[in-house]
Amino acid sequence: MAGKYVLKTSGDQFMFNLHAGNGQIVLTSERYASRAGALGSIASVQSNAGQGARYEPSADGLRFDLRAANGQAIGHSEAYSSADAARSGMDAVKRAAEGATTDDQT
């Protein structure tokens, strides 16, 4: 089952969650002032998620950020129970990001 970006508002800002094929949220975006900014970030996730070097684990290894080529954070993971589980989360983002549809709930 393919992944899905769920684009929504958060107050007066825009953000998205990337859902894996099983419905679990595997990545949460930054907040953006415009819908266009959030859509651009979705495109950035699609182009960067397949590159292992773009994932930055937290100091404890239980979370990670996905970063664009310019180093800017474009998404954050949830907290995992172990570093191995976090690495599995990175793999889930890679699988879900490519070819995922966008559910625009704005």
Side-chain angles (χ1 to χ4, degrees):
M1 196 183 266
K4 175 173 65 172
Y5 297 95
V6 178
L7 178 64
K8 58 188 179 178
T9 56
S10 176
D12 62 350
Q13 298 180 318
F14 297 82
M15 53 90 57
F16 64 87
N17 288 311
L18 174 59
H19 293 252
N22 64 3
Q24 295 281 62
I25 295 173
V26 293
L27 194 73
T28 299
S29 75
E30 298 288 311
R31 303 297 194 271
Y32 298 91
S34 70
R35 181 177 174 275
L39 290 171
S41 183
I42 288 172
S44 185
V45 169
Q46 290 171 326
S47 66
N48 288 288
Q51 301 177 44
R54 299 282 193 252
Y55 293 86
E56 182 177 293
S58 61
D60 62 7
L62 302 180
R63 297 176 185 262
F64 61 86
D65 289 339
L66 175 61
R67 298 196 174 271
N70 65 2
Q72 182 177 10
I74 51 179
H76 311 281
S77 74
E78 64 175 310
Y80 290 92
S81 59
S82 69
D84 284 341
R87 283 189 290 277
S88 292
M90 292 176 204
D91 291 338
V93 170
K94 291 175 188 176
R95 288 189 306 272
E98 186 178 341
T101 59
T102 300
D103 178 6
D104 189 343
Q105 298 182 359
T106 62

